[in-house]
Amino acid sequence: MRGASATSLETPQPAWDRTTVDNGLVKPQPGQVVTVFRNRLRPDADAYAEHSARMSALARAMPGYVEHKTFTAEDGERVTLVTFADRPSHDAWGRHPEHREAQRAGVRDYYQEYSISVGETDRASAWSRDRRERDAGG
């Protein structure tokens, strides 16, 4: 998104998940499940930040969690990308009781509108300028 600011909510990857590129970006892997959550907050969504922080901590503790990041466009639309290692991990997050309650609270208290798209990664690649220059001796 041109002109958008990013808020990184990711944490260091667990030892079992070696999916990072040298510069800290997560390297995508086939089979990962990515959720694209687009939304606009209501003007009176005062308690959203606290509730969102709790859900972020809970998501990071879930088995199979890879990362999530939220971006805010100039027009106020927010996009959160959430990645889990596989479908069972993703689905467990979707069924978590606190997450389900947060979804209900979102409709009731926070969101003006939202949409969700979920897909499995079929093909993935990553590239890093820092790694290329280091491998070339420069």
Side-chain angles (χ1 to χ4, degrees):
M1 280 182 260
R2 176 168 260 177
S5 63
T7 303
S8 176
L9 301 174
E10 64 189 310
T11 57
Q13 300 301 300
W16 54 265
D17 187 7
R18 305 274 184 217
T19 60
T20 58
V21 176
D22 291 330
N23 64 3
L25 294 175
V26 171
K27 181 178 172 185
Q29 301 290 316
Q32 288 178 333
V33 176
V34 178
T35 299
V36 179
F37 179 50
R38 299 176 66 161
N39 65 81
R40 291 181 190 276
L41 294 174
R42 293 178 7 194
D44 63 344
D46 300 328
Y48 179 80
E50 184 178 329
H51 207 159
S52 178
R54 170 66 188 134
M55 288 302 99
S56 292
L58 185 62
R60 285 191 298 271
M62 294 291 295
Y65 169 85
V66 176
E67 72 168 342
H68 70 280
K69 292 184 180 184
T70 297
F71 304 86
T72 302
E74 291 176 3
D75 69 357
E77 181 181 20
R78 300 159 33 86
V79 177
T80 301
L81 303 174
V82 184
T83 305
F84 278 89
D86 52 36
R87 180 65 65 175
S89 300
H90 170 272
D91 292 350
W93 169 242
R95 290 188 308 269
H96 191 285
E98 276 190 76
H99 184 217
R100 299 290 296 169
E101 175 52 35
Q103 292 169 339
R104 289 187 288 274
V107 170
R108 182 182 64 237
D109 302 326
Y110 306 134
Y111 297 117
Q112 181 67 35
E113 62 186 7
Y114 73 84
S115 68
I116 299 172
S117 302
V118 178
E120 186 170 322
T121 303
D122 293 327
R123 186 179 67 79
S125 63
W127 179 84
S128 169
R129 179 171 307 282
D130 293 341
R131 184 175 186 165
R132 178 178 164 220
E133 290 172 356
R134 187 183 62 246
D135 290 349

